[in-house]
Amino acid sequence: MERRKTHMSLRDKALAVRENAYAPYSNFKVGAALTTEAGETYVGCNVENVAYPEGTCAEAGAIAAMIASGESRLTEVYVVADAPLPVSPCGGCRQKLIEFGAGDVVVTMATVDGVEQKMTLSELMPGAFTEEHLENT
């Protein structure tokens, strides 16, 4: 009997990794999954710390996994949390995402119940600070 690999969607992967989030203080678990130009998928979940500013966002974890694997260009992002409305990436993660993705990259923000909102990186981060700002340095 041949076993087939089950294709998991970005949503499925984000939901699955969300379960691994370390969120004992806020109990607000977030999962993120991104796809790269090479077609690979990387995931991340939020990791809290008792010193709140020292935590790590799910999107940052997925980006770190992508970079650690030798890739640097993302083409799609999916973020999911258990909230009444889709949760957008924080400002810091928006800046991180724009570093590795073009303005037309679609970011899907979702609830665990399936409510989704899609925006491009340019819509999420108008006026983003980019390498073009450093051309005279």
Side-chain angles (χ1 to χ4, degrees):
M1 182 166 103
E2 180 183 338
R3 291 186 86 183
R4 286 197 213 179
K5 279 187 172 180
T6 303
H7 174 71
M8 290 180 67
S9 68
L10 274 185
R11 175 178 171 74
D12 293 338
K13 290 177 181 181
L15 281 166
V17 74
R18 180 187 162 275
E19 293 302 317
N20 296 335
Y22 179 75
Y25 308 105
S26 71
N27 203 28
F28 190 75
K29 295 182 173 189
V30 181
L34 60 85
T35 303
T36 65
E37 287 181 336
E40 296 298 321
T41 301
Y42 298 94
V43 297
C45 58
N46 59 317
V47 179
E48 291 182 349
N49 188 293
V50 70
Y52 282 125
E54 299 305 314
T56 303
C57 296
E59 301 89 335
I63 290 168
M66 174 186 73
I67 296 299
S69 293
E71 294 200 60
S72 62
R73 297 302 297 167
L74 58 89
T75 58
E76 187 177 3
V77 181
Y78 198 100
V79 181
V80 64
D82 188 8
L85 300 171
V87 176
S88 67
C90 71
C93 284
R94 291 177 192 204
Q95 182 66 48
K96 289 174 181 75
L97 290 167
I98 203 82
E99 180 76 12
F100 301 106
D104 62 349
V105 166
V106 174
V107 178
T108 302
M109 300 155 287
T111 68
V112 295
D113 295 329
V115 177
E116 293 183 344
Q117 178 182 5
K118 294 178 186 285
M119 296 178 77
T120 64
L121 282 177
S122 290
E123 291 170 328
L124 279 171
M125 192 69 174
F129 185 75
T130 63
E131 63 187 29
E132 286 84 26
H133 291 102
L134 302 176
E135 286 182 2
N136 290 337
T137 59

